[in-house]
Amino acid sequence: MVIFKEIEPLKAFLSDKRALDHSVGLVPTMGALHSGHLELVKASKKVNSITVCSIFVNPIQFNNPADLEKYPKSLEHDIAYLNSVGCDVLFHPDRSEMYQKPTTTKFDFGQLDKVLEGEFRPGHFSGVALVVSKLFNIVNPTRAYFGQKDFQQFKIVQRIVDDLNFNIELICFPTLREADGLAMSSRNTRLSDEERKTASVFYRSLVFAKNEIRNRAGIKSINERVVEMCLSEKNVRLEYFAIADTENLNLLDNVKDADRSILLIAGFVGEVRLIDNMFVE
Ligand code: PAF
């Protein structure tokens, strides 16, 4: 695997490859890689001649400085992991390389970045949109791979691809789960043993809600039961549980079209903020 820390040499390397008609797959990450990330790399390798993984902990998408400070880092392990699946290129810039000048550019996605994560993490999606746009311009990928766990992020990226005419195919890859259903996340490494056991409550809530919808239970009663499930666990604080339209993430108060509905949940286990989601069908 070739490692680049600087933008210009990476661009030159990739433009040589593109001149040979090579397709390029991009897997943007913030490091602390887990099997979920590796599945994205493997999916990219299947259809692209070159796979680039980026590792950059993007400061401007963290609305909480403590969260940025504590974001897990494991570069050596990440490099070994990427080598084990044959990733071709790692792009691992410093902050000063990615943000050579102070940035003031802000994105506004209307309703899409005001609900769910956007409500609890103001400014987060503007920061994501900016760094993803930068990565798209630097790497100029044929395809880019994102995990379904961050479904709202995927919708935001879809919006920038449409609005800014990026000629990139986006792939939303299903969430990988631990044996007890907990969605794989870099943040899971911050959970204590006890917290790790309770963290699956978010997955259990989604499964419960999905079954209740199939049994035609009302959203209000499902919501109450999910709140109870989360409250009954030690150290768990629910931020939101919601049902939304998969197309625009408008919040729903009943499920009319199960094929266009997604359940989303977020909350804290101890000090660690976790999110998860599940399609109704
Ligand atoms: O999902 C992530 O890891 C990040 O939000 C991303 C897409 C790499 C942008 O910093």
Side-chain angles (χ1 to χ4, degrees), residues 36 49-50 79 98 101 130 186-187 202 204 207:
S49 354
I50 301 276
I79 291 173
M98 279 304 265
K101 293 179 188 160
L130 186 65
S186 305
R187 287 189 163 85
F202 296 132
R204 287 185 270 119
V207 173

Side-chain angles (χ1 to χ4, degrees), residues 205 208 212 220-230:
S205 301
F208 165 80
E212 289 296 282
K220 191 165 171 283
S221 85
I222 296 175
N223 210 334
E224 284 165 6
R225 294 289 304 279
V226 166
V227 172
E228 268 170 36
M229 276 174 83
C230 293

